[in-house]
């Protein structure tokens, strides 16, 4: 099964990637430009370059995936850089869920640090 993973370059994401691969799933990751080096086992993942505000990249990440895991979480906000829970956790998961619904994805798992 192909599984979209949003937030896969973080601490928890790396462990989820390992488990997905171990269980013979293919992780497809939405990865910000410049963060590709953070992907564990990149040779076994499909990587889509983009960010949580790029609806085309999100759609490309979700298409043909049977499940979505949303992991974007912040321990600390950096509002000057636009890194807020409002933007990344709330608005980001809302955007992904709307696109998932539009393309017919049935499984959506949201993990939050809040």
């Amino acid at each position: 099964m192909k599984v979209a993973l949003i937030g896969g370059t973080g601490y928890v994401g790396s462990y989820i990637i390992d488990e997905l691969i171990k269980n013979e799933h293919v992780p497809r990751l939405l990865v910000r430009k410049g963060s590709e080096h953070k992907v564990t086992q990149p040779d076994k993942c499909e990587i889509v370059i983009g960010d949580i505000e790029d609806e085309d990249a999100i759609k490309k990440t979700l298409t043909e995936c049977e499940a979505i895991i949303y992991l974007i979480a912040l321990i600390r906000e950096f509002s000057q850089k636009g890194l807020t829970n409002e933007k990344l956790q709330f608005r980001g998961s809302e955007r992904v869920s709307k696109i998932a619904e539009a393309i017919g994805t049935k499984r959506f798992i949201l993990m939050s640090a809040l």
Side-chain angles (χ1 to χ4, degrees), residues 14-64:
S14 66
Y15 288 99
I16 291 177
I17 288 170
D18 292 344
E19 286 300 311
L20 288 171
I21 292 168
K22 184 170 104 180
N23 288 284
E24 300 181 6
H25 300 298
V26 177
R28 181 180 289 164
L29 313 174
L30 177 65
V31 178
R32 287 185 319 246
K33 185 176 181 178
S35 293
E36 302 90 343
H37 68 281
K38 296 179 182 179
V39 176
T40 61
Q41 302 190 61
D43 56 318
K44 296 182 182 176
C45 297
E46 295 179 3
I47 298 171
V48 176
I49 302 300
D51 63 42
I52 199 58
E53 294 183 300
D54 182 346
E55 291 190 9
D56 290 334
I58 294 169
K59 186 173 182 181
K60 184 176 179 182
T61 303
L62 305 186
T63 299
E64 299 178 359

Side-chain angles (χ1 to χ4, degrees), residues 67-81:
I68 301 162
I69 302 172
Y70 191 93
L71 294 174
I72 294 178
L74 294 175
I75 295 171
R76 189 170 63 158
E77 293 186 330
F78 296 93
S79 54
Q80 297 85 355
K81 295 180 181 180

